[in-house]
Amino acid sequence: MFGSLTEAQLRRRDNPDEGIFIVESPKVIRVALSAGMQPVALLCERRHITGDAADIISQLPDSTPVYTGERDVLARLTGYTLTRGVLCAMRRPQPLPLEEVCRNARRVVVIHSVCDTTNIGAIFRSAAALGIDAVLLTPDSCDPLNRRAVRVSMGTVFQVPWTWVDTPAHLQSLGFKTVAMALTDRSIPLDDPQLKAEPRLALVMGTEGDGLPHSTIDACDYTVRIPMQHGVDSLNVAAAAAVACWELRTR
């Protein structure tokens, strides 16, 4: 599972109950374990058995196998150099129902068609740090439990409730006003007072290249832009999400 299976094979869409994901680095593994994720197996450099992985190993059920080897051996096995020398395979949890994730939420982020794993992880980290209640993803977005996305998020994918949503329009029936982050003739500034006055907001973030589809923008209650200077018209989606989360956070 650490070297022979692709992310898609680990995910097991055809049989979700057997899905696995990989967590990298001791710090992130600890966050995952604290959040109740179920370990399947651990792989670490030999020196970490009595070092960085010692406390993790002590938390694992007795039946959990621990595999070890030297750094170069593990690099050949996995196909990449382990950043912190420790990997943990964990059982993939079942997605939460949308209504459950949103029940008490006042501010949520919707990730629409974003496929870059680094951006996904960074958006989760900003959402967690800035008080966003949940993250929702359209089915054509990257899996938040992708190994790199988990590492970039620093484990916040285990701390912020998240699930899948077919379209942002579904959130309007749950009482949210939807906010499309996009540059159009009808965009209002991010710091517009009427946005902050809304009791429940869903911030819809699109891809950097194409942005949000026109149909999605048209279906949202607001279209919003981040005021910028020096002729800059856009930010990286992860940076834009951080700015929007901060400005529209629950006060």
Side-chain angles (χ1 to χ4, degrees):
M1 69 184 73
F2 292 107
S4 61
L5 300 180
T6 65
E7 289 283 350
Q9 290 170 327
L10 288 171
R11 190 171 178 181
R12 292 297 300 274
R13 285 182 182 270
D14 58 329
N15 194 348
D17 291 339
E18 297 180 6
I20 289 172
F21 65 96
I22 304 296
V23 182
E24 182 179 358
S25 92
K27 181 175 182 179
V28 181
I29 293 170
R30 293 184 190 105
V31 174
L33 291 173
S34 296
M37 297 297 106
Q38 298 180 12
V40 174
L42 190 81
L43 175 70
C44 68
E45 289 183 44
R46 195 180 308 279
R47 63 191 177 95
H48 288 316
I49 290 179
T50 55
D52 288 349
D55 66 307
I56 295 172
I57 293 171
S58 69
Q59 297 179 56
L60 300 178
D62 293 339
S63 60
T64 305
V66 176
Y67 304 105
T68 187
E70 301 303 330
R71 186 178 181 85
D72 60 334
V73 174
L74 300 190
R76 291 198 301 272
L77 172 66
T78 60
Y80 53 89
T81 301
L82 276 61
T83 304
R84 300 288 295 175
V86 187
L87 295 177
C88 189
M90 295 187 166
R91 188 70 60 195
R92 174 177 286 274
Q94 291 296 314
L96 296 171
L98 178 63
E99 291 75 12
E100 179 181 333
V101 171
C102 294
R103 183 171 295 124
N104 298 314
R106 297 182 59 191
R107 296 290 186 268
V108 303
V109 168
V110 181
I111 300 175
H112 193 296
S113 307
V114 176
C115 299
D116 184 273
T117 55
T118 300
N119 284 333
I120 294 290
I123 292 171
F124 265 89
R125 191 172 183 182
S126 293
L130 301 174
I132 296 299
D133 299 310
V135 176
L136 311 172
L137 304 97
T138 57
D140 53 353
S141 294
C142 171
D143 175 22
L145 297 183
N146 171 283
R147 179 183 61 85
R148 181 166 177 80
V150 170
R151 182 164 63 83
V152 172
S153 82
M154 292 304 293
T156 53
V157 295
F158 309 117
Q159 297 173 320
V160 179
W162 65 270
T163 195
W164 305 97
V165 62
D166 289 332
T167 68
H170 287 179
L171 298 173
Q172 292 165 327
S173 65
L174 298 178
F176 288 90
K177 293 293 186 180
T178 49
V179 177
M181 300 298 298
L183 296 174
T184 72
D185 293 339
R186 65 186 181 96
S187 296
I188 64 174
L190 180 65
D191 56 358
D192 191 299
Q194 64 181 316
L195 293 172
K196 299 177 185 179
E198 292 286 0
R200 307 185 86 190
L201 284 178
L203 312 180
V204 187
M205 314 297 302
T207 62
E208 290 179 51
D210 299 329
L212 293 170
H214 291 298
S215 58
T216 299
I217 296 173
D218 292 341
C220 285
D221 298 295
Y222 295 99
T223 306
V224 173
R225 69 180 185 277
I226 299 174
M228 301 187 196
Q229 301 181 35
H230 300 294
V232 177
D233 63 357
S234 65
L235 295 173
N236 164 277
V237 65
V243 173
C245 290
W246 167 258
E247 184 64 31
L248 298 179
R249 71 196 186 281
T250 303
R251 287 169 167 79

